[in-house]
Amino acid sequence: MATENDQAVLRSIFNPDCPFGDDLGETCEPLRDEDSSFDPEVLRRVHDLEVRGVKAAESGDLHSALLLFSEAIEILPDWASAYNNRAQARRLDGDTAGALEDLECAIALSGGTGLTGCQALVQRGLLHKLLHEEDAALCDFQRAARLGSSFARQQALLLNPYAALCNNMLSQVFHKLRNPQAPEKA
């Protein structure tokens, strides 16, 4: 049976981008059911609009996608998923400010939890990263990682300067162990 330290060493070997002993993803909050407080018939109509909006966006018809997501928001203004989907369409359409606005709504309505909250945090983190707002991006990725997003966990590690330094040092140690005669890596 491996000790906790042994497991941390194995994690660092199999995931060299993860700082030694890091367990960001091991304390994930459960994703909650977001549908239970809404009228099922209204929710069905909104889901249908969202599915049609996603299909329109995937086919490149962003104008129709935006209209469908906006209609879903008009019908059910407290439904975080529609804001999250419209944010994606807005981002694809080049409207970063509008996308950030919709993501703020999605995060507020979801309480920053559940599947939609996690997705919105990841999207907002990516937009912050695009805008060179690394501190804000790191915060969003860390929150999404705690909700269970492995992508967000990876992004948080890449943005963490301490983790990058530790990973570089660990990489050098492993390089030296594998190649004792090789010159030091810069």
Side-chain angles (χ1 to χ4, degrees):
M1 178 177 229
T3 67
E4 190 170 322
N5 189 52
D6 293 338
Q7 291 173 350
V9 169
L10 289 172
R11 277 194 304 272
S12 71
I13 291 169
F14 292 116
N15 188 0
D17 292 329
C18 187
F20 184 75
D22 188 24
D23 64 352
L24 252 180
E26 294 178 9
T27 56
C28 300
E29 297 175 20
L31 299 180
R32 71 169 201 239
D33 178 12
E34 301 171 10
D35 299 355
S36 60
S37 63
F38 298 102
D39 178 298
E41 179 57 30
V42 173
L43 195 55
R44 186 195 58 72
R45 287 179 42 216
V46 169
H47 275 296
D48 179 58
L49 288 167
E50 285 188 285
V51 168
R52 290 173 42 210
V54 168
K55 287 180 181 175
E58 287 175 345
S59 71
D61 186 359
L62 295 176
H63 178 73
S64 294
L66 289 166
L67 290 175
L68 289 162
F69 295 137
S70 294
E71 186 178 344
I73 289 168
E74 281 182 40
I75 293 170
L76 198 57
D78 292 335
W79 182 242
S81 177
Y83 290 96
N84 187 55
N85 284 321
R86 189 171 71 177
Q88 179 71 359
R90 283 181 157 179
R91 184 192 62 77
L92 291 170
D93 200 33
D95 181 7
T96 302
L100 283 169
E101 184 180 305
D102 278 349
L103 291 171
E104 294 295 333
C105 289
I107 292 165
L109 290 170
S110 68
T113 63
L115 181 60
T116 299
C118 184
Q119 291 172 339
L121 286 164
V122 169
Q123 278 198 76
R124 189 174 71 178
L126 288 170
L127 286 176
H128 284 308
K129 191 174 175 182
L130 177 72
L131 297 170
H132 304 289
E133 299 167 350
E134 280 78 15
D135 290 342
L138 178 60
C139 181
D140 283 344
F141 289 139
Q142 288 173 333
R143 286 179 63 191
R146 283 191 296 274
L147 291 171
S149 171
S150 58
F151 175 80
R153 182 173 41 256
Q154 192 69 21
Q155 292 300 308
L157 293 171
L158 293 173
L159 285 172
N160 183 335
Y162 177 74
L165 178 63
C166 290
N167 289 335
N168 187 33
M169 289 171 32
L170 188 59
S171 175
Q172 288 178 12
V173 167
F174 280 118
H175 175 75
K176 189 68 174 167
L177 287 172
R178 286 185 197 123
N179 306 300
Q181 306 304 324
E184 294 280 330
K185 285 174 70 174

